[in-house]
């Protein structure tokens, strides 16, 4: 496979997410990092890009300059990653899709359902890929869970329980910390804080694994710190289109929890449990049998799990490698399109614009249900009803 050209917007020096993307995109040698607009401060972005090895004429001051500089190049980027503040995702993603670029956008893809529907329509109209970085679905054993559900190992799925709870925003003394404050400010975060930040990861993973989309939900949201306008804890009841029920808890005030992303799936014939902080083990309990521990990298796993596992069994697998699997999927699909061939079916797992749209519809439904004391609401975007 020929190496593809990759560019990044945002993710500058000191960014939490930028290094994970740069590691993930390049670990398999499938992308070259050739262009970037890495900081909202033009000179800082140009300088950092050059220090990362970008050519001076492709280390841009802002995304508009990057779009202008890349659109006419014969060696223009094949994929653009958008890792900027949430409120800018829609404008940047739309602009690059219109110019025929493939895009990987950080979540949330947009701030409104209407914007999400526009991005879905635009991606379909242009034929360009618009992926959304629900990167935790890149973990090998998450993909194996999906394969087990799809082949019927659990029988009909009855219940899915998802959590993404941490305690890193529990200190009231952090109320004025700019790295925390913006997340609970409606002007910057939109209508939701914790659910839009972490809850949608858990929701997307649930849908990804069980192969069902949420139809209705009822939410209990609370701001445990009185100074916060937006929620820092949410408990959401879910009903999926394939008949499964769901429970989702997300929190930023759960002292003692670190990352806290876990998923449990209960079916007619067995149950599964996985935690992101121990990603090498998947716990499988067949009905009436002993608990089994499935190890990442062991023999006999699904093609989806094998393709997304790089290091030998017993060694740690981390978040950048999960991100790398999203990039590996995208590289395979983009390369297949260029070559006019069918991509590897095990690579067709990256989250799409449709997933980003469903997440935004769920965010708005959770916010509305929380304000209405937990009333059940339709969680589907209008274009999918």
């Amino acid at each position: 496979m020929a190496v593809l050209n990759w560019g990044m917007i945002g993710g500058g020096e000191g960014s939490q997410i930028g290094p994970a993307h740069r590691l993930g995109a390049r670990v398999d040698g499938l992308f070259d990092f050739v262009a970037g607009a890495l900081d909202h401060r033009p000179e800082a972005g140009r300088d950092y890009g050059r220090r990362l090895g970008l050519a001076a004429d492709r280390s841009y001051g802002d995304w508009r300059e990057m779009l202008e500089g890349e659109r006419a190049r014969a060696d223009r980027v094949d994929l653009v990653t958008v890792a900027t503040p949430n409120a800018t995702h829609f404008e940047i993603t739309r602009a690059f899709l219109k110019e025929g670029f493939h895009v990987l956008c950080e979540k949330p893809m947009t701030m409104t359902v209407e914007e999400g529907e526009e991005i879905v329509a635009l991606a379909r109209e242009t034929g360009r890929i618009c992926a959304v970085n629900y990167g935790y679905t890149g973990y090998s054993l998450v993909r194996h869970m999906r394969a087990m559900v799809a082949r019927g190992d659990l029988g009909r799925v009855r219940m899915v329980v998802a959590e993404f709870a941490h305690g890193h925003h529990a200190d009231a003394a952090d109320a004025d910390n700019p790295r925390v404050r913006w997340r609970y400010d409606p002007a910057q975060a939109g209508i939701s804080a914790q659910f839009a930040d972490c809850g949608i990861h858990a929701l997307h993973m649930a849908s990804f694994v069980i192969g069902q989309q949420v139809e209705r939900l009822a939410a209990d949201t609370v701001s445990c710190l009185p100074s916060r306008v937006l929620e820092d804890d949410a408990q959401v009841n879910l009903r999926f289109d394939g008949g499964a029920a769901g429970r989702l808890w997300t929190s930023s005030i759960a002292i003692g929890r670190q990352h806290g992303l876990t998923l449990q799936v209960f079916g007619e014939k067995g149950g599964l449990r996985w935690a992101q902080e121990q990603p090498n083990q998947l716990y499988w309990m067949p009905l009436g049998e002993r608990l089994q521990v499935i190890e990442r990298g062991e023999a006999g796993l699904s093609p989806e799990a094998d393709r997304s596992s790089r290091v030998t069994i017993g060694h740690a697998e981390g978040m950048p490698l999960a991100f790398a699997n999203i990039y590996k999927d995208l590289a395979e699909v983009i390369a297949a399109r260029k070559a006019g061939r069918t991509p590897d079916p095990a690579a067709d797992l990256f989250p799409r614009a449709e997933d980003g749209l469903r997440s935004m519809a769920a965010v708005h439904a959770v916010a509305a249900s929380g304000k209405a004391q937990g009333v059940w609401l339709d969680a589907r975007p209008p274009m999918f009803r």
Side-chain angles (χ1 to χ4, degrees):
M1 183 189 299
V3 177
L4 300 170
N5 289 331
W6 174 63
M8 187 173 194
I9 302 168
E13 192 165 18
S15 163
Q16 178 183 10
I17 205 68
H21 277 285
R22 287 188 286 274
L23 287 167
R26 301 162 74 186
V27 71
D28 292 308
L30 301 174
F31 287 100
D32 270 345
F33 181 33
V34 299
L38 303 178
D39 200 294
H40 69 281
R41 300 164 298 171
E43 288 310 313
R46 291 189 183 99
D47 175 68
Y48 188 50
R50 289 191 293 267
R51 283 189 278 130
L52 290 176
L54 297 181
D57 66 334
R58 300 184 83 174
S59 186
Y60 299 102
D62 61 43
W63 69 266
R64 292 180 177 85
E65 182 181 307
M66 180 170 164
L67 180 62
E68 186 61 32
E70 292 294 313
R71 61 156 55 107
R73 294 184 69 108
D75 61 346
R76 76 184 203 164
V77 292
D78 295 291
L79 176 70
V80 176
T81 292
V82 179
T84 55
N86 296 355
T88 65
H89 291 175
F90 169 67
E91 181 182 21
I92 299 171
T93 297
R94 179 178 61 177
F96 276 84
L97 286 174
K98 282 185 174 181
E99 292 297 330
F101 292 90
H102 300 299
V103 177
L104 170 60
C105 182
E106 262 299 333
K107 61 83 199 167
M109 184 178 73
T110 62
M111 298 291 280
T112 70
V113 176
E114 292 77 15
E115 289 173 348
E117 292 190 332
E118 184 174 341
I119 292 296
V120 168
L122 183 58
R124 292 175 176 178
E125 176 187 330
T126 61
R128 300 294 89 184
I129 293 168
C130 180
V132 184
N133 190 43
Y134 293 109
Y136 302 113
T137 57
Y139 277 104
S140 177
L141 289 180
V142 172
R143 294 182 169 202
H144 188 62
M145 291 175 79
R146 175 188 171 100
M148 290 180 69
V149 170
R151 71 192 184 197
D153 292 6
L154 282 74
R156 181 178 63 85
V157 173
R158 293 168 170 167
M159 175 66 66
V160 57
V161 179
E163 296 182 1
F164 198 155
H166 65 82
H168 300 302
H169 300 165
D171 189 349
D174 278 337
D176 291 323
N177 181 340
R179 294 179 66 88
V180 175
R181 185 181 61 230
W182 75 267
R183 298 175 184 274
Y184 303 93
D185 177 5
Q188 299 181 74
I191 64 167
S192 170
Q194 181 60 18
F195 187 82
D197 186 28
C198 294
I200 57 175
H201 274 299
L203 179 60
H204 176 263
M205 184 177 286
S207 289
F208 177 82
V209 167
I210 70 173
Q212 299 180 34
Q213 301 299 333
V214 65
E215 280 191 333
R216 297 180 296 123
L217 60 78
D220 179 20
T221 59
V222 62
S223 300
C224 293
L225 272 68
S227 62
R228 290 176 177 161
V229 176
L230 299 177
E231 87 288 348
D232 50 27
D233 190 283
Q235 181 77 43
V236 187
N237 290 316
L238 307 163
R239 295 292 185 271
F240 292 86
D241 58 8
R247 308 283 185 261
L248 189 156
W249 174 48
T250 186
S251 181
S252 65
I253 53 84
I255 298 173
R257 297 288 291 263
Q258 294 300 325
H259 195 259
L261 176 59
T262 65
L263 187 70
Q264 299 177 84
V265 183
F266 305 106
E268 296 171 310
K269 299 191 293 184
L272 291 166
R273 174 168 55 89
W274 179 86
Q276 190 264 341
E277 291 178 40
Q278 292 84 37
N280 277 8
Q281 288 79 40
L282 171 62
Y283 295 90
W284 163 231
M285 175 70 89
L287 180 65
E289 299 183 27
R290 295 175 60 248
L291 178 67
Q292 302 175 22
V293 181
I294 298 171
E295 292 280 349
R296 184 205 51 78
E298 70 181 35
L301 297 186
S302 61
E304 294 88 343
D306 290 340
R307 187 179 185 276
S308 54
S309 183
R310 292 172 185 77
V311 296
T312 54
I313 189 170
H315 292 80
E317 178 186 62
M319 182 261 278
L321 289 184
F323 278 32
N325 285 326
I326 303 297
Y327 280 100
K328 189 177 182 182
D329 292 348
L330 289 167
E332 166 64 11
V333 174
I334 293 170
R337 289 188 180 191
K338 285 189 166 189
R341 61 175 175 82
T342 301
D344 181 350
D348 193 22
L349 296 178
F350 61 89
R352 288 157 165 78
E354 288 82 356
D355 299 301
L357 169 59
R358 290 188 180 97
S359 293
M360 187 47 53
V363 166
H364 281 261
V366 165
S369 177
K371 289 180 180 178
Q373 304 300 308
V375 66
W376 282 90
L377 295 175
D378 195 323
R380 299 170 297 175
M383 72 184 301
F384 292 159
R385 294 180 186 176

